[in-house]
Amino acid sequence: MAKIVYKIICVLVLSQISYIIGAQTKRASWWTEPHRFLQFNLQVKDADLIDADEVIRYAKEELRAEAIMLNAGGIYAWYPTEVPFHQKNPYMGDRDVFGELVEAAKKYDIKILARTDWSKTTEKTFEDHPEWFALKPDGKPQITGEPRFGDYDMLYLTCGAGPYRNEAVAMPALKEIITKYDVDAFFFSFAKFNTSYSPYAKKKYKSLYGKDLAEEKKDINPNWLSEAYYDTWKNWYKAIKETDPQIAIVGRTRMDQRETIELMSEFSDVLSTQPRDAYFQGWEAQDPRWKSSIETNFARSAHQNGERPLILTNTAPGLAWRHTSLPKAEFDFWMAQIIANGGNWLPSTTGFPAVMEDQRTLENVRDFNLQIEKIQPYLANNFKNAPVAILNSKSNFKKSEDELNGFFEAMISHQIQFDVISEYNLIRGDLKNYDLLILADQRILTDQEITAINDFIEKGGKTLSTFQTGLYTDREKKRDNFFLKEYLEIEDQFDPLQDQTGSYLRIENPAHPLLQKLGNTLLIPNGKDIMIVSSSREPLVTLVPPFAPDGWFGNPPERARFRKESTEVSILHSIRDHIYFANQIGQLTWDYRLPDHKQLIANAINSLVPEASPLHTINYPDIMVTPFKKDRGHLLFFVNNVGERPLRQTNTLKDVEVVFDLNKKPGKVESLINEQDIGFTYQDNKLSFTLSILHTWEAVYIE
């Protein structure tokens, strides 16, 4: 009898495991497919104006959406919740707005992403449970919305470690939404941990670090906010997956890695990032023009299992003006980068069509979705062949952000194909997919990361590193030895030479391949710190130090006698499969955008990996290009990068000459967006063709 019971239990367990595995397979395939997403960020007071069928019909038929993200719960429940202290939208009356929208969405065959925000709630809940909220050191609550405008509720920030975000409200509400409604995925807005001195936060800090939570930020463990947040995310994951394992969870990340990739890769089904095209801080504070590409690249590279990350964008010029629209040319340019880098695009609009006074937003979304619809059959199961990886480590991001930005600028300008990876990819062994690893001033490297890099090198991998890479442990203790010195034949590395404004880089061997395409010069501007290294190898580039006090460079000019002789400080080291810049070449590139610095970076990469740039636009070299392997052919993307942003109008290019490295003659070259006829020639493993016109972007399929 016992054996029979045991067998029955085994069958049940195995069937459950098979069910979960099957569900996971189904989820994975859903996110590998291209979809046209949309968010209507509903406003609380508009609840009674919502005609669910009309809203969803418009999303489907006019805006061409296949999946829609809608307010479900958190700050307010948009349905008649039975969870205590989950405050219902007071303007909804007796309606079930979320339920009506879900029902309409299923009628129109649209997938639903339920959006929740547990970061804050109304003063009503605070009155009953003030200990659930994010408190200041003096015990007072953290309030948003002061001073109060209009008759809105005051919103109080909840404590990330408290019951509101966990077992008391958020977890039962998530289960309630799943039980009541047919949703396909969950998205969490403002999913982060705020500094809090609630009793729950104090207790959690004590349990993690064995001491009291300090009032001064400098005295708080730097991992505190993220580690406290992880437990809450895991609770949400548990609540959803225990209720219905088929429902997908969208994990939030971004380049500065507010949340680690490791957590999101384990406790979410697809990654999301949000490269806002924001102008609310002024034109000079705008994000880099390639920010949308890089964020998509980073999110797609993280999992490396083929799913398309969900890239959320605002259709407005920043949330400060969330009810207005970006210029159409700027909007299209920003969004094209997402699709061209393998992402699914989710535009976020404030309100819904009947209450939106700037209809240009809707027109922009519609027009761009119509373009995606043209190429959608080609977007699934694409694989990017990027031989170069550049490490974006959480430990180094703040200090080396400009060094990274300079490399991004140089590689995109020179049409080099690369992936942005995290330390999680590094440790997990994902480097096997790459020929070259770029370490752009990654000064802090753990022993585990160094072991992974050494293993990559021992298996034939190549490196390009700069400045203080690997000089410090994760505890910011200086290492005795430069970990790459044996590969670069560097004998020693000393403290950096600082205050080098007005200095130069002097080319010692202009015939060397690393120093080509710079024109008739032996001098390149330098203005950054230099690591002093000693090596027996003949230097390729050396330092010419400043020859005048700060602010007096060559002033007056007759006092600025130039010394041809440089110092013995060597800048560029190259041996076999490894290159090292002792200066901050990336930061030079980013700060000054001079072509010489970009060319040096491109030369270094192409010398190590000649196939890093398989696709070139000959007469317009600044076009963003991304090739993907697609079935038996190739899918090539071209994004027009010409013009000063924000783009008032698209600067249409004509007769764009393209050369693509290809090992066999294709049968056809097809324009997918502009539907132009493309003739081509094929010789010496190079495919040549011309795009007669390039507006914002183009996709070309080669078979």
Side-chain angles (χ1 to χ4, degrees), residues 526-557:
N526 180 63
K528 303 299 174 185
D529 298 350
I530 304 288
M531 288 301 298
I532 301 177
V533 297
S534 61
S535 173
S536 60
R537 297 185 68 82
E538 184 179 349
L540 299 174
V541 174
T542 54
L543 173 69
V544 177
F547 50 82
D550 188 19
W552 292 87
F553 310 111
N555 185 14

Short mmCIF file of all heavy atoms in Angstrom, two decimals, residues 526-557:
data_model
loop_
_atom_site.label_atom_id
_atom_site.label_comp_id
_atom_site.label_asym_id
_atom_site.label_seq_id
_atom_site.Cartn_x
_atom_site.Cartn_y
_atom_site.Cartn_z
N ASN A 526 45.39 65.30 -25.29
CA ASN A 526 45.10 64.52 -24.08
C ASN A 526 44.77 65.50 -22.97
O ASN A 526 45.33 66.59 -22.90
CB ASN A 526 46.29 63.65 -23.67
CG ASN A 526 45.99 62.85 -22.41
OD1 ASN A 526 45.11 62.01 -22.43
ND2 ASN A 526 46.70 63.11 -21.33
N GLY A 527 43.86 65.09 -22.10
CA GLY A 527 43.53 65.97 -20.98
C GLY A 527 43.18 65.20 -19.73
O GLY A 527 42.58 65.74 -18.81
N LYS A 528 43.54 63.92 -19.71
CA LYS A 528 43.13 63.06 -18.60
C LYS A 528 44.33 62.44 -17.91
O LYS A 528 45.46 62.51 -18.39
CB LYS A 528 42.20 61.95 -19.12
CG LYS A 528 40.96 62.47 -19.84
CD LYS A 528 40.10 63.32 -18.93
CE LYS A 528 38.94 63.96 -19.69
NZ LYS A 528 38.17 64.89 -18.83
N ASP A 529 44.05 61.80 -16.78
CA ASP A 529 45.11 61.16 -16.00
C ASP A 529 45.73 59.99 -16.77
O ASP A 529 45.09 59.40 -17.66
CB ASP A 529 44.57 60.65 -14.67
CG ASP A 529 44.03 61.77 -13.80
OD1 ASP A 529 44.25 62.94 -14.14
OD2 ASP A 529 43.38 61.47 -12.78
N ILE A 530 46.96 59.67 -16.41
CA ILE A 530 47.72 58.61 -17.07
C ILE A 530 48.25 57.65 -16.01
O ILE A 530 48.80 58.08 -15.00
CB ILE A 530 48.92 59.19 -17.85
CG1 ILE A 530 48.48 60.25 -18.86
CG2 ILE A 530 49.72 58.08 -18.52
CD1 ILE A 530 47.77 59.72 -20.05
N MET A 531 48.08 56.36 -16.23
CA MET A 531 48.75 55.38 -15.38
C MET A 531 50.21 55.24 -15.84
O MET A 531 50.48 55.11 -17.03
CB MET A 531 48.07 54.01 -15.48
CG MET A 531 46.71 53.94 -14.80
SD MET A 531 46.74 54.31 -13.05
CE MET A 531 47.81 53.00 -12.46
N ILE A 532 51.13 55.28 -14.88
CA ILE A 532 52.54 55.09 -15.21
C ILE A 532 52.85 53.60 -15.12
O ILE A 532 52.67 52.99 -14.07
CB ILE A 532 53.45 55.89 -14.25
CG1 ILE A 532 53.10 57.38 -14.33
CG2 ILE A 532 54.91 55.66 -14.60
CD1 ILE A 532 53.88 58.23 -13.36
N VAL A 533 53.27 53.03 -16.22
CA VAL A 533 53.62 51.61 -16.25
C VAL A 533 55.03 51.46 -16.80
O VAL A 533 55.51 52.32 -17.56
CB VAL A 533 52.63 50.79 -17.11
CG1 VAL A 533 51.23 50.84 -16.53
CG2 VAL A 533 52.61 51.29 -18.54
N SER A 534 55.67 50.39 -16.42
CA SER A 534 57.01 50.12 -16.95
C SER A 534 56.97 48.86 -17.79
O SER A 534 56.31 47.88 -17.43
CB SER A 534 58.02 49.97 -15.81
OG SER A 534 57.67 48.88 -14.98
N SER A 535 57.66 48.91 -18.94
CA SER A 535 57.68 47.77 -19.85
C SER A 535 58.96 47.83 -20.67
O SER A 535 59.47 48.91 -20.99
CB SER A 535 56.47 47.79 -20.78
OG SER A 535 56.56 46.79 -21.77
N SER A 536 59.47 46.68 -21.02
CA SER A 536 60.67 46.62 -21.85
C SER A 536 60.35 46.77 -23.33
O SER A 536 61.25 46.91 -24.16
CB SER A 536 61.40 45.29 -21.62
OG SER A 536 60.55 44.20 -21.96
N ARG A 537 59.06 46.75 -23.68
CA ARG A 537 58.68 46.86 -25.08
C ARG A 537 58.79 48.30 -25.57
O ARG A 537 58.59 49.25 -24.81
CB ARG A 537 57.26 46.33 -25.30
CG ARG A 537 57.13 44.84 -24.96
CD ARG A 537 55.73 44.34 -25.29
NE ARG A 537 55.49 44.33 -26.73
CZ ARG A 537 55.90 43.38 -27.55
NH1 ARG A 537 56.58 42.35 -27.08
NH2 ARG A 537 55.63 43.44 -28.83
N GLU A 538 59.06 48.45 -26.84
CA GLU A 538 59.17 49.77 -27.43
C GLU A 538 57.81 50.47 -27.41
O GLU A 538 56.81 49.90 -27.84
CB GLU A 538 59.68 49.65 -28.87
CG GLU A 538 59.92 50.99 -29.55
CD GLU A 538 60.45 50.83 -30.96
OE1 GLU A 538 60.82 49.69 -31.33
OE2 GLU A 538 60.47 51.83 -31.70
N PRO A 539 57.73 51.70 -26.90
CA PRO A 539 56.43 52.38 -26.79
C PRO A 539 55.88 52.77 -28.15
O PRO A 539 56.62 53.18 -29.05
CB PRO A 539 56.74 53.61 -25.94
CG PRO A 539 58.19 53.87 -26.17
CD PRO A 539 58.83 52.52 -26.36
N LEU A 540 54.56 52.68 -28.28
CA LEU A 540 53.88 53.11 -29.51
C LEU A 540 53.41 54.55 -29.40
O LEU A 540 53.43 55.31 -30.37
CB LEU A 540 52.68 52.19 -29.78
CG LEU A 540 52.99 50.72 -30.01
CD1 LEU A 540 51.69 49.92 -30.12
CD2 LEU A 540 53.84 50.54 -31.25
N VAL A 541 52.93 54.91 -28.20
CA VAL A 541 52.44 56.26 -27.94
C VAL A 541 52.98 56.69 -26.58
O VAL A 541 52.94 55.91 -25.62
CB VAL A 541 50.89 56.31 -27.92
CG1 VAL A 541 50.40 57.70 -27.51
CG2 VAL A 541 50.33 55.95 -29.29
N THR A 542 53.47 57.90 -26.48
CA THR A 542 53.99 58.41 -25.21
C THR A 542 53.30 59.71 -24.84
O THR A 542 52.56 60.30 -25.64
CB THR A 542 55.51 58.63 -25.28
OG1 THR A 542 55.79 59.48 -26.40
CG2 THR A 542 56.24 57.30 -25.44
N LEU A 543 53.58 60.18 -23.63
CA LEU A 543 52.95 61.38 -23.11
C LEU A 543 53.86 62.59 -23.29
O LEU A 543 55.03 62.56 -22.95
CB LEU A 543 52.65 61.20 -21.62
CG LEU A 543 52.13 62.44 -20.88
CD1 LEU A 543 50.72 62.78 -21.36
CD2 LEU A 543 52.16 62.22 -19.38
N VAL A 544 53.28 63.67 -23.84
CA VAL A 544 53.93 64.98 -23.81
C VAL A 544 53.22 65.77 -22.71
O VAL A 544 52.04 66.10 -22.86
CB VAL A 544 53.81 65.72 -25.16
CG1 VAL A 544 54.44 67.11 -25.06
CG2 VAL A 544 54.46 64.90 -26.26
N PRO A 545 53.90 66.06 -21.62
CA PRO A 545 53.21 66.67 -20.48
C PRO A 545 52.86 68.13 -20.74
O PRO A 545 53.36 68.74 -21.69
CB PRO A 545 54.25 66.55 -19.35
CG PRO A 545 55.56 66.56 -20.06
CD PRO A 545 55.34 65.85 -21.36
N PRO A 546 52.02 68.71 -19.89
CA PRO A 546 51.72 70.14 -20.03
C PRO A 546 52.99 70.96 -19.89
O PRO A 546 53.89 70.61 -19.15
CB PRO A 546 50.76 70.42 -18.86
CG PRO A 546 50.25 69.09 -18.44
CD PRO A 546 51.32 68.09 -18.76
N PHE A 547 53.09 72.06 -20.67
CA PHE A 547 54.29 72.88 -20.60
C PHE A 547 53.98 74.29 -20.09
O PHE A 547 54.73 75.22 -20.29
CB PHE A 547 55.01 72.95 -21.95
CG PHE A 547 54.11 73.31 -23.09
CD1 PHE A 547 53.79 74.63 -23.35
CD2 PHE A 547 53.61 72.31 -23.91
CE1 PHE A 547 52.97 74.96 -24.41
CE2 PHE A 547 52.79 72.64 -24.98
CZ PHE A 547 52.46 73.96 -25.24
N ALA A 548 52.84 74.47 -19.44
CA ALA A 548 52.48 75.75 -18.86
C ALA A 548 51.53 75.51 -17.69
O ALA A 548 50.90 74.46 -17.61
CB ALA A 548 51.82 76.65 -19.91
N PRO A 549 51.43 76.46 -16.77
CA PRO A 549 50.48 76.30 -15.67
C PRO A 549 49.05 76.20 -16.19
O PRO A 549 48.73 76.64 -17.30
CB PRO A 549 50.67 77.59 -14.84
CG PRO A 549 51.99 78.14 -15.28
CD PRO A 549 52.16 77.72 -16.70
N ASP A 550 48.17 75.63 -15.36
CA ASP A 550 46.76 75.46 -15.73
C ASP A 550 46.17 76.82 -16.13
O ASP A 550 46.28 77.80 -15.42
CB ASP A 550 46.00 74.87 -14.53
CG ASP A 550 44.58 74.48 -14.91
OD1 ASP A 550 44.32 74.33 -16.12
OD2 ASP A 550 43.75 74.32 -14.01
N GLY A 551 45.53 76.85 -17.28
CA GLY A 551 44.90 78.07 -17.76
C GLY A 551 45.81 78.96 -18.58
O GLY A 551 45.37 79.98 -19.10
N TRP A 552 47.10 78.58 -18.74
CA TRP A 552 48.04 79.42 -19.48
C TRP A 552 48.71 78.65 -20.61
O TRP A 552 49.86 78.89 -20.96
CB TRP A 552 49.11 79.96 -18.53
CG TRP A 552 48.55 80.93 -17.56
CD1 TRP A 552 47.98 80.67 -16.36
CD2 TRP A 552 48.47 82.34 -17.75
NE1 TRP A 552 47.56 81.82 -15.76
CE2 TRP A 552 47.85 82.88 -16.60
CE3 TRP A 552 48.87 83.22 -18.76
CZ2 TRP A 552 47.61 84.24 -16.44
CZ3 TRP A 552 48.63 84.58 -18.60
CH2 TRP A 552 48.01 85.07 -17.45
N PHE A 553 48.00 77.72 -21.20
CA PHE A 553 48.59 76.87 -22.23
C PHE A 553 48.86 77.70 -23.49
O PHE A 553 47.94 78.11 -24.20
CB PHE A 553 47.65 75.70 -22.56
CG PHE A 553 47.21 74.98 -21.32
CD1 PHE A 553 45.90 75.04 -20.90
CD2 PHE A 553 48.12 74.27 -20.55
CE1 PHE A 553 45.50 74.39 -19.76
CE2 PHE A 553 47.72 73.62 -19.41
CZ PHE A 553 46.41 73.68 -19.00
N GLY A 554 50.15 77.96 -23.72
CA GLY A 554 50.52 78.71 -24.92
C GLY A 554 50.13 80.17 -24.85
O GLY A 554 49.89 80.80 -25.88
N ASN A 555 50.02 80.75 -23.66
CA ASN A 555 49.59 82.13 -23.53
C ASN A 555 50.63 82.92 -22.73
O ASN A 555 50.79 82.68 -21.54
CB ASN A 555 48.25 82.19 -22.81
CG ASN A 555 47.69 83.60 -22.74
OD1 ASN A 555 48.17 84.48 -23.44
ND2 ASN A 555 46.70 83.80 -21.88
N PRO A 556 51.38 83.83 -23.32
CA PRO A 556 51.35 84.19 -24.75
C PRO A 556 52.04 83.14 -25.61
O PRO A 556 52.87 82.39 -25.11
CB PRO A 556 52.11 85.53 -24.78
CG PRO A 556 53.05 85.43 -23.62
CD PRO A 556 52.31 84.67 -22.56
N PRO A 557 51.74 83.08 -26.90
CA PRO A 557 52.24 81.97 -27.73
C PRO A 557 53.75 81.90 -27.82
O PRO A 557 54.31 80.81 -27.93
CB PRO A 557 51.61 82.24 -29.11
CG PRO A 557 51.19 83.68 -29.07
CD PRO A 557 50.84 83.99 -27.65
#
